[in-house]
Amino acid sequence: MAERPKLVLAMRRDIVDLVLPPALRARLDTLADVHPLLVTDASDPAADAAFADAEILLTGWGAPEVDAALLARLPKLGAVVHAAGTVKHHVHPVVWERGIGVSSAADANAGPVVDFTMATIVLAARRTLGAAADYHRGVQPSYPERRGADGAVVGVIGASRIGRGVLARLASAAADFEVLLADPYVSADEAARLGARLVDLDELCAGSHIVTVHAPDLPETRHLLDARRLGLLRDGAAVVNTARGRLVDTEALARACETGRLDAYLDVTDPEPLPEGHVLHRLRNVLLTPHIAGCQGTEVARLGAYAVDEVARFAAGQPLLGAVRVEDLARIA
Ligand SMILES: NC(=O)c1ccc[n+]([C@@H]2O[C@H](COP(=O)([O-])OP(=O)(O)OC[C@H]3O[C@@H](n4cnc5c(N)ncnc54)[C@H](O)[C@@H]3O)[C@@H](O)[C@H]2O)c1
């Protein structure tokens, strides 16, 4: 058997057993020579011995920033394999400049977000929050007042990996959804193949019963849904955000929800967490969750499994499936 690549784990101590439960850790040990030190703080001089021979840095949440100073201590590094989503917070451009491979497990994180979003869209289509609040007060909606999902128009912002997953679910749902898509990187033909009609963002806002946000947090996507665009939404429409809080003007949305004009299902906000006592915490037409759409608990091992498969590919000299290309950084999460 060829010599196993030397690998260093770098992430928060409290997540390592979730990322690599025993069976995965055992598989990793067959694929790589894993240094016994878990690096939680790269400034620890004890890490130097681990870094000196490391060919793979397997990172997770809380990993140190991989910049020129750290690379100087990692002379043999061939790949940064991230057992989480975005690499933007810890991998500096110098890593690509040195020809070091960078991989992310964002594909593995997408599935749970798609599930969560789809469940939310179905709830939103039925105006579930309002119905539940009325029911608690002893009010039963009459049949003509009830809303069904058939014919609901869902506006998807961003055919990202998660956006595409949601589009696929919308296309295969029992409900007869009509789907609009806004994404500057997608053609009308491609949108049609994804089951959607490509429109600009204003048209999407004006035409949708439910707007679901899946674009990355970039300078140009900040407040993509600002007060003006939220004003284009029809009365009773819902905003679903499982992407990033900065894409929506949280205060403008809160004002529209407070009047009862819009409903909101928000897994992310700006700021995050929202301050205690914020109006969004107490509105009956708002479902606020603390950034739980991505991998949680038992699902975190999906990220580890993806990363371990990447280590297998690296060891076999194969291309990394989750390779992050530097030229894509400006348009990805
Ligand atoms: N709530 C959670 O727990 C959670 C978990 C994972 C990801 N996320 C978030 O979900 C979102 C999608 O993540 P992803 O990994 O699928 O993203 P991604 O990296 O696949 O998104 C890139 C794509 O977004 C689209 N896009 C770029 N700019 C756009 C714009 N201005 N308007 C519309 N579309 C645009 C393009 O199609 C681009 O290729 C991100 O905001 C990410 O941070 C949230």
Side-chain angles (χ1 to χ4, degrees), residues 158 160-162 183-184 214-216 221 242-244 267 291 294 331-333:
S160 55
R161 76 190 84 216
I162 292 168
D183 185 323
H214 300 294
T221 59
T242 59
R244 284 291 179 267
D267 190 47
H291 206 138
R331 70 175 174 118
I332 64 171

Side-chain angles (χ1 to χ4, degrees), residues 85-86 106-107 109-110 113 116 156-164 181-186 201 213-218 220-221 224 241-244 247 267-268 291-296 328 330-333:
T86 182
D107 281 343
N109 203 22
V113 184
F116 188 95
V156 176
I157 303 180
S160 55
R161 76 190 84 216
I162 292 168
R164 283 167 194 259
L181 171 67
D183 185 323
Y185 297 98
V186 169
L201 200 46
V213 185
H214 300 294
D217 181 3
L218 305 170
E220 65 271 24
T221 59
L224 213 59
N241 190 2
T242 59
R244 284 291 179 267
L247 276 77
D267 190 47
V268 289
H291 206 138
I292 57 166
C295 288
Q296 305 291 305
D328 291 338
R331 70 175 174 118
I332 64 171

